[in-house]
Amino acid sequence: MDQILGQVLRNAVWERLDMLADLATRADAQSLVSVARSELPRLTEGWRAMLTAHEPDERGDCPTCSTRWHRCKAPCSVWQVAHEHLVAGGLAPQQDLRRPSRRKPKVPAQTRGTTPGEATGRHALIPQVAHH
């Protein structure tokens, strides 16, 4: 049941982001202003809540990303992504501020958020692309 609920929540978030991105590229100026006034405060509060959960503790570790067996030093990947998208604007080259050589490759947009067997909703209709 938790897995189903998790997939429903993930799909709802992905679809909301898709809708906002679509509005940003297709809406007229008046609609954009209306959407910006309603959505920007929600998005900034969402970022703030997520970043608060990833604030470093007294040892400089991210309490959310760390486990009992593995400590994750700040800045964690959440803070790095926040900086890349909110400050650098995605224009600067991606960099891992802790260990540049250990960056994970980006997940293609077509496959984000779904795994075989759990895909439902609009994102389930996106064909999975096999990369060789």
Side-chain angles (χ1 to χ4, degrees):
M1 186 65 161
D2 288 342
Q3 188 176 14
I4 293 169
L5 177 60
Q7 187 61 45
V8 168
L9 293 175
R10 286 188 298 278
N11 281 346
V13 170
W14 285 124
E15 289 188 19
R16 181 67 171 202
L17 291 171
D18 289 344
M19 183 269 302
L20 291 171
D22 189 49
L23 280 171
T25 59
R26 298 177 189 215
D28 59 86
Q30 185 177 355
S31 298
L32 282 174
V33 169
S34 177
V35 169
R37 285 192 177 128
S38 66
E39 296 298 324
L40 282 175
R42 291 169 45 130
L43 291 170
T44 56
E45 284 306 308
W47 272 104
R48 288 177 199 277
M50 184 169 41
L51 293 172
T52 297
H54 291 268
E55 276 290 319
D57 61 18
E58 63 280 350
R59 294 179 301 223
D61 297 331
C62 172
T64 303
C65 295
S66 295
T67 67
R68 178 185 297 177
W69 300 278
H70 174 73
R71 306 309 301 170
C72 179
K73 285 290 183 197
C76 69
S77 61
V78 171
W79 274 98
Q80 292 174 44
V81 168
H83 181 270
E84 176 186 340
H85 291 278
L86 298 173
V87 178
L91 300 176
Q94 288 186 341
Q95 57 184 334
D96 184 327
L97 300 175
R98 294 172 296 147
R99 294 182 293 262
S101 63
R102 302 188 90 189
R103 266 193 35 236
K104 292 180 181 177
K106 280 189 166 183
V107 176
Q110 298 95 313
T111 60
R112 69 174 183 231
T114 59
T115 59
E118 46 172 307
T120 60
R122 177 171 171 230
H123 293 305
L125 303 176
I126 299 171
Q128 300 296 315
V129 179
H131 296 285
H132 297 274

